[in-house]
Amino acid sequence: MIKFLDIQKINLQYQAEIEEALIRVYRSGWYLQGEENKIFEKSLSTFLNVPNAIGVGNGLDALRLILRAYIELGFMQEGDEIIVPANTYIASLLAITDNNLIPIMVEPNINNFNIDITKIKEKISSKTKGIMLVHLYGQIVFDENLINLAEKFNLKIIEDNAQAIGAEWKGKRSGTLGDAAGFSFYPGKNLGALGDGGAVTCKDETLAKTIRAIANYGSSEKYINQYKGLNSRLDEIQAAILQVKLKYIDAENERRRKIAKRYCTEIKNPLIILPNYPIHELEHVWHLYVIRTKNRRRLQDYLTKNEIQTLIHYPIPPHHQEAYKEYQDFSLPISEQIHQEVISLPISPVLSEKEVSEIIKNLNCYE
């Protein structure tokens, strides 16, 4: 069986360095808010070329904290609106509603699955305070029109960069394009920890200090609590592991690009709709390689029978989830179509050329 994602094999590449990091943390006797976290935050900041990087508990918390900080700083208030893609993982919406803000869902471009920037302006109201971009599947979404919209209407651009670390737009890394960004280091991500973890990046020092305080029980000085805060901190073990793996992220992303290029150029079956391969190859990091087909179950069964594991990201759109039953009557036909047709192929830095060829061969033989 060709695994969808062999996390164990990915991490075993760096076994000696990871074990050394684990032993170092274990022997240090310091497991939270220590030197490992400081070193990783500095390395992440340097990698992205952004002034501030704050390690937090997970990717969802990263987004929650950004919005909460904007509320504490007075830029937003409960009941304000945040524009968000309708086609996204539910975490994007959860971060908004957890802060008692209102998600305004915008349909995607069906050719790249990301928010259709041309449809954002019509959704802006007097209560709109931000645009949450999601670089879905590791495919970057950004342009000059978005910058102009944000400037014209005084909106914050928040990047949900959980799936796109290392992607670029005009030479700038994702996670530095807007005002603030949330990262996830869930084990299956391109930069994955051995547990949960996340980070926030931003340019504004006041925002960074506020986020850091809120994530630490609302405190920037021990026993002095400025905010009704949270407990969301990246632990020393995960920081040390991420420091090891960050050194290899560009090389791993480049391997993903090469696999994606083969898929885009060698899969010729008219029953399968492929994602667009970008003109500038550094744009996307291909966290997932997602195709569309009219009979998804049949294709998935066929590939399983031929020893190729696939997954579906995601079978139910957020507005059809029970958690958001107040939105179930919304008409979002493009998002709904995508959720009915998508299937994710194996793509990872440890996928061999032979395995890639086997996947392509089977897809081209599918009838």
Side-chain angles (χ1 to χ4, degrees), residues 52-112:
N52 302 290
I54 304 120
V56 299
N58 54 69
L60 173 56
D61 277 2
L63 298 174
R64 292 169 66 209
L65 286 161
I66 292 167
L67 295 171
R68 172 69 181 279
Y70 278 131
I71 291 171
E72 294 290 356
L73 291 170
F75 185 81
M76 298 177 186
Q77 61 182 356
E78 293 184 4
D80 282 343
E81 297 173 351
I82 305 295
I83 288 171
V84 65
N87 181 48
T88 184
Y89 183 56
I90 198 170
S92 308
L93 272 73
L94 289 173
I96 297 169
T97 57
D98 184 69
N99 282 288
N100 294 314
L101 300 167
I102 309 300
I104 303 299
M105 289 174 273
V106 174
E107 286 272 62
N109 180 327
I110 199 165
N111 296 314
N112 61 25

Side-chain angles (χ1 to χ4, degrees), residues 15-39:
Q15 180 174 339
E17 291 180 80
I18 288 174
E19 287 179 351
E20 181 183 342
L22 291 170
I23 291 168
R24 184 175 67 247
V25 175
Y26 171 67
R27 289 178 176 171
S28 76
W30 196 289
Y31 308 120
L32 275 173
Q33 295 186 301
E35 288 303 311
E36 301 291 346
N37 198 32
K38 290 177 185 176
I39 291 168

Side-chain angles (χ1 to χ4, degrees), residues 186-200:
Y186 180 79
K189 294 295 194 290
N190 290 31
L191 180 63
L194 297 191
D196 232 332
V200 173

Side-chain angles (χ1 to χ4, degrees), residues 8 10 26 31 58 68 79 114 121 129 132 175 189-190 206 230 255 262-263 268 279 282 304 307 315 321 349 355:
Q8 184 181 34
I10 291 171
Y26 171 67
Y31 308 120
N58 54 69
R68 172 69 181 279
N114 273 318
K121 186 176 180 180
K129 296 296 181 181
M132 182 177 288
K189 294 295 194 290
N190 290 31
T206 301
L230 310 173
R255 176 63 186 144
R262 285 200 63 191
Y263 284 158
K268 304 291 187 181
I279 297 172
L282 294 180
T304 301
E307 300 289 309
Q321 296 284 358
E355 289 173 322

Side-chain angles (χ1 to χ4, degrees), residues 17 73 107 110 117 125 134 136 183 197 218 267 286 297 323 359:
E17 291 180 80
L73 291 170
E107 286 272 62
I110 199 165
I117 293 175
S125 76
V134 182
L136 197 65
F183 293 72
I267 297 171
W286 302 100
R297 176 59 62 84
I359 293 164

